Amino acid sequence: MKKIYRNGLFMLAAGALTVSCAKYDITDDFYASPDPSFSEPYKDYAPIKEYIDRAKYANMSLGATLKVAEFNKQELAHAAAVTNFDNIAFGTSLMSGTIINEKGVMNFLDMKDLLDHVEEIGGEVFGSPLVANENQADGWLKTLTSPIEIKVSTIEDKTVDYTTMTEFTGTSKKNTATIKEKYDGNDNALSIPKNSQVYIVEDFDVDPLGTYTVTFYAKADKDVSARFTFADNKIMEKGDHKKFDIKAGKWVKLVIEAKPAENATNGYMMLEGNKNSIIYIKKVMVAHTPDNHRPQTEQEKKDTINYALNAWCDGLMKINEGRIKSFDLIDEPIDTKATLENGNYDIKHSESSIFWQDILGSENYAPAVARIASEAYQKYGGDASKLRFFISESGLDEQKKFESLRYWINLWDSKGAKIDGINAKLNLTYSEDGSKQAANEASLNTLLDNLASTGKLVRISNFDIKYQDAGGANVSAKDITVEQRERLANYYGEVIKLYMSKIPQDKQAGICKGNMVDNSDPVGMWSIDSATRDWIRNATYKAFCDALSGK
């Protein structure tokens, strides 16, 4: 064990000992000592998770959000997380969009390393969403649902035989083409003057997905070149309007492949650019090969997406081996821009991306995901009695959005979905403006009351609070004063105590911190020392400890 964790221990031993003054629970013989960079009066606090009264709050847990790569480094952030928190969430890092490439190859190497390590140290992971509308394996899903290749035959569209014509009745855009009688022995030919624009064939239907071949024989009095446009689309080569050479005194067979312009409605081939000579043409033949693909039927798409869902859940749960026991089943399903006839918000739909619900059905996709993931979880050794699925959603302080989520959860429940809880993503602010802060607190109280009323497990995540001054401007981490930090910390404590008092103890699925350390905002329980880059416990650390202990 010493070898595998050497980096993490080195960071602690090398002066970044601000993580904890207590045991760094990885080896049996390593203890982190207090560090001089601890600022009074917080150096004597134990790891935060130790302040939860497990006898009274048996289901309560404390989580932190971290990136997989950051955790797998086993350095400072890793040490802070495993020492102070019960579990770790990895955001979008363990979602299909990160793991599956467009060919369907699943790369679970980072996840396996992570889970093996977490299992060895006795930690827990909260699973990333199984399905969502973002961070999905979009390339793979588009490949799977792309049109199916079929056998097609070439279609002859039009033939114009100038050898038997006595009058040209086609279109001359510039200079007029004529029929030259008995030009080549007994045969007539189309005669196109210099510097002309003449449709050598026209008026045939256009297949926008077809590939066309125009075949004809041409001859000139002098060596000359010509350019061609097919159904509004210039025949190009290397970014230029391609020139086709026609030799003097010799019939040249030209075979030109072309596709019509995107919005073309009339099929034609126009010759232009013959500066040096008249050009003569015998017979022109147009044929096309239709697109050799057809769209999948609705049933085929449904079968394909069912296959994809089974493959994804099977691969995920095979690596998991029952170690992750709680997952977000679906992430942020509610669409606040679309309303149902009953007044609730619809769930999200898309015309450009592959959304699971668009193919499996709005009412049926949550039950399908829950069933398939549960079966895969048990297949690979998971204990069904410990498996928990949550629906995660943001913005639930908006009453209509909350009511809409409850509507959909009840509907999915009635269809047999396993939905154990709601993972409410918070977006909190502390304001120095008294009226604004009163509104913030009232909104939070209503949200927690609403969540408790569902009878589901309740987890709150993204638990970061921004600080606004009296004018409504955000206060940055580098500018926040000691007094402001104290007010912010007190509000963190109030939120924790409200959660623990309003959510029934048997429904408390825990609180997950969004950021452990300050970023540009003062959202961390640690601040970063500008000189040493050490993590320094701040008042929010104390607020967590005090609130969890019931102070």
Side-chain angles (χ1 to χ4, degrees), residues 161-204:
D161 188 356
Y162 292 111
T163 64
T164 61
M165 288 186 179
T166 58
E167 182 181 0
F168 178 63
T169 58
T171 301
S172 295
K173 303 282 287 184
K174 180 181 178 182
N175 295 328
T176 302
T178 60
I179 298 295
K180 178 75 172 179
E181 296 189 17
K182 297 184 178 180
Y183 168 72
D184 190 25
N186 294 321
D187 293 333
N188 298 344
L190 177 65
S191 174
I192 301 175
K194 298 178 183 179
N195 298 313
S196 298
Q197 291 180 335
V198 174
Y199 287 8
I200 64 173
V201 62
E202 60 185 309
D203 294 332
F204 53 88

Side-chain angles (χ1 to χ4, degrees), residues 207-211 259-260 289-291:
D207 178 354
L209 300 178
T211 300
K259 293 184 76 68
T289 302
D291 180 33

Side-chain angles (χ1 to χ4, degrees), residues 134-326:
E134 297 182 357
N135 302 302
Q136 298 297 278
D138 291 329
W140 180 47
L141 296 180
K142 287 180 180 179
T143 298
L144 288 175
T145 55
S146 62
I148 297 172
E149 188 172 326
I150 58 175
K151 185 177 181 179
V152 296
S153 300
T154 299
I155 297 173
E156 295 182 1
D157 296 284
K158 189 163 188 176
T159 298
V160 181
D161 188 356
Y162 292 111
T163 64
T164 61
M165 288 186 179
T166 58
E167 182 181 0
F168 178 63
T169 58
T171 301
S172 295
K173 303 282 287 184
K174 180 181 178 182
N175 295 328
T176 302
T178 60
I179 298 295
K180 178 75 172 179
E181 296 189 17
K182 297 184 178 180
Y183 168 72
D184 190 25
N186 294 321
D187 293 333
N188 298 344
L190 177 65
S191 174
I192 301 175
K194 298 178 183 179
N195 298 313
S196 298
Q197 291 180 335
V198 174
Y199 287 8
I200 64 173
V201 62
E202 60 185 309
D203 294 332
F204 53 88
D205 292 334
V206 171
D207 178 354
L209 300 178
T211 300
Y212 284 78
T213 302
V214 182
T215 305
F216 59 95
Y217 282 89
K219 184 178 179 180
D221 296 331
K222 299 178 182 179
D223 288 351
V224 69
S225 62
R227 298 186 298 268
F228 293 90
T229 297
F230 180 84
D232 302 340
N233 200 19
K234 293 179 180 180
I235 308 301
M236 304 292 288
E237 184 178 61
K238 297 179 179 178
D240 294 323
H241 200 170
K242 184 178 180 180
K243 294 180 179 180
F244 291 84
D245 294 328
I246 301 171
K247 298 296 183 181
K250 181 179 179 180
W251 287 107
V252 176
K253 182 180 181 180
L254 293 179
V255 180
I256 300 176
E257 291 193 352
K259 293 184 76 68
E262 184 176 352
N263 297 316
T265 56
N266 177 44
Y268 68 86
M269 174 74 91
M270 181 177 72
L271 179 150
E272 61 180 312
N274 53 326
K275 296 180 178 180
N276 299 325
S277 174
I278 297 172
I279 293 177
Y280 302 94
I281 292 176
K282 287 185 177 181
K283 182 188 289 186
V284 182
M285 294 169 287
V286 181
H288 83 275
T289 302
D291 180 33
N292 63 336
H293 297 85
R294 65 161 177 80
Q296 293 187 31
T297 66
E298 291 305 311
Q299 185 60 49
E300 285 171 335
K301 283 185 178 180
K302 186 175 181 179
D303 292 343
T304 298
I305 288 298
N306 264 304
Y307 156 77
L309 185 57
N310 275 276
W312 160 235
C313 289
D314 189 82
L316 176 69
M317 296 307 180
K318 184 177 181 179
I319 291 295
N320 182 41
E321 297 178 321
R323 292 176 286 191
I324 302 176
K325 300 174 179 63
S326 294

Side-chain angles (χ1 to χ4, degrees), residues 265-523:
T265 56
N266 177 44
Y268 68 86
M269 174 74 91
M270 181 177 72
L271 179 150
E272 61 180 312
N274 53 326
K275 296 180 178 180
N276 299 325
S277 174
I278 297 172
I279 293 177
Y280 302 94
I281 292 176
K282 287 185 177 181
K283 182 188 289 186
V284 182
M285 294 169 287
V286 181
H288 83 275
T289 302
D291 180 33
N292 63 336
H293 297 85
R294 65 161 177 80
Q296 293 187 31
T297 66
E298 291 305 311
Q299 185 60 49
E300 285 171 335
K301 283 185 178 180
K302 186 175 181 179
D303 292 343
T304 298
I305 288 298
N306 264 304
Y307 156 77
L309 185 57
N310 275 276
W312 160 235
C313 289
D314 189 82
L316 176 69
M317 296 307 180
K318 184 177 181 179
I319 291 295
N320 182 41
E321 297 178 321
R323 292 176 286 191
I324 302 176
K325 300 174 179 63
S326 294
F327 295 85
D328 279 335
L329 185 73
I330 297 171
D331 183 50
E332 301 201 18
I334 304 300
D335 184 358
T336 57
K337 297 180 180 179
T339 304
L340 300 170
E341 290 183 359
N342 62 14
N344 289 303
Y345 288 132
D346 196 359
I347 59 172
K348 294 172 182 173
H349 299 279
S350 176
E351 295 181 356
S352 58
S353 297
I354 306 297
F355 280 9
W356 305 92
Q357 58 269 33
D358 290 339
I359 297 175
L360 299 179
S362 300
E363 298 182 7
N364 298 318
Y365 88 111
V369 177
R371 174 181 54 80
I372 291 169
S374 296
E375 290 173 356
Y377 178 80
Q378 294 174 69
K379 176 182 176 181
Y380 294 107
D383 183 346
S385 67
K386 296 181 180 179
L387 179 62
R388 300 288 182 267
F389 286 146
F390 293 76
I391 304 296
S392 58
E393 187 57 88
S394 60
L396 293 177
D397 50 334
E398 180 193 343
Q399 187 66 25
K400 183 176 177 179
K401 190 170 187 180
F402 169 78
E403 293 293 348
S404 300
L405 179 64
R406 177 153 57 184
Y407 163 78
W408 281 105
I409 288 177
N410 289 340
L411 180 59
W412 292 329
D413 278 342
S414 72
K415 297 283 186 177
K418 174 182 171 59
I419 300 174
D420 301 286
I422 297 173
N423 182 12
K425 299 179 181 179
L426 300 186
N427 182 24
L428 301 180
T429 300
Y430 177 85
S431 176
E432 289 182 351
D433 182 301
S435 60
K436 287 184 179 179
Q437 184 55 22
N440 291 339
E441 293 175 9
S443 176
L444 176 64
N445 272 276
T446 300
L447 170 60
L448 292 174
D449 287 337
N450 282 339
L451 291 170
S453 72
T454 65
K456 299 286 188 182
L457 294 171
V458 175
R459 180 178 186 263
I460 60 174
S461 59
N462 194 39
F463 184 30
D464 290 342
I465 305 177
K466 294 184 178 181
Y467 192 100
Q468 285 186 349
D469 63 21
N474 286 344
V475 176
S476 67
K478 65 180 179 63
D479 294 329
I480 194 166
T481 66
V482 173
E483 293 76 14
Q484 289 173 325
R485 178 77 77 170
E486 286 287 346
R487 286 194 286 269
L488 178 61
N490 289 338
Y491 191 40
Y492 270 106
E494 289 176 24
V495 175
I496 294 169
K497 287 185 280 189
L498 278 172
Y499 171 85
M500 297 178 76
S501 64
K502 287 181 173 289
I503 306 301
Q505 293 173 15
D506 64 337
K507 301 301 181 184
Q508 294 176 4
I511 296 171
C512 184
K513 191 73 178 70
N515 288 277
M516 294 189 294
V517 67
D518 286 347
N519 47 39
S520 57
D521 294 305
V523 292

